[in-house]
Amino acid sequence: MPETDVDIKDLFEELKTDWKTRTTYMSNSAQIAAVRSYQRIIGMGPAALPLILKELERETDHWFWALEAISGENPVPPDQAGRVEDMAKTWIEWGRRKGLV
């Protein structure tokens, strides 16, 4: 039986909460992205993109690894690398162009 949009949103919220709890005191982005709940969000595939982008609009966080892994794209220009606020804006603009936001 396929998951409904509600099931996907609920699963995303559950995984996001777990991920944020487990990474509260982490600063290394590779470690943050390696957490199992984050990897499960990536495993949700394209269905997670609008949810991640909505979350990124609400609060800037380390979603860039997941966005790139799922989409196969990286719209962030090299001069924005490491500038989290700018990176978030670029990804949100990307999502708007793709009709995901």
Side-chain angles (χ1 to χ4, degrees):
M1 185 165 140
E3 291 184 299
T4 65
D5 288 343
V6 173
D7 292 337
I8 290 169
K9 288 177 185 172
D10 289 346
L11 177 59
F12 176 80
E13 286 299 320
E14 179 184 318
L15 293 171
K16 178 193 78 173
T17 300
D18 181 72
W19 172 64
K20 287 183 173 277
T21 300
R22 292 176 186 276
T23 61
T24 299
Y25 301 106
M26 288 184 187
S27 60
N28 181 303
S29 60
Q31 287 178 326
I32 290 169
V35 171
R36 188 170 180 358
S37 46
Y38 190 90
Q39 291 298 310
R40 287 190 59 206
I41 290 171
I42 291 171
M44 293 173 69
L49 288 173
L51 301 170
I52 294 170
L53 291 165
K54 182 177 249 183
E55 184 63 23
L56 195 55
E57 280 184 315
R58 194 184 72 71
E59 176 186 18
T60 302
D61 210 336
H62 295 272
W63 289 111
F64 312 115
W65 194 307
L67 288 165
E68 187 173 351
I70 295 168
S71 71
E73 298 184 39
N74 183 359
V76 177
D79 66 325
Q80 284 184 357
R83 296 185 0 225
V84 179
E85 292 291 331
D86 291 336
M87 292 170 67
K89 288 177 186 173
T90 298
W91 272 107
I92 292 165
E93 289 168 9
W94 173 89
R96 286 189 181 120
R97 286 192 307 274
K98 300 284 186 175
L100 299 170
V101 178

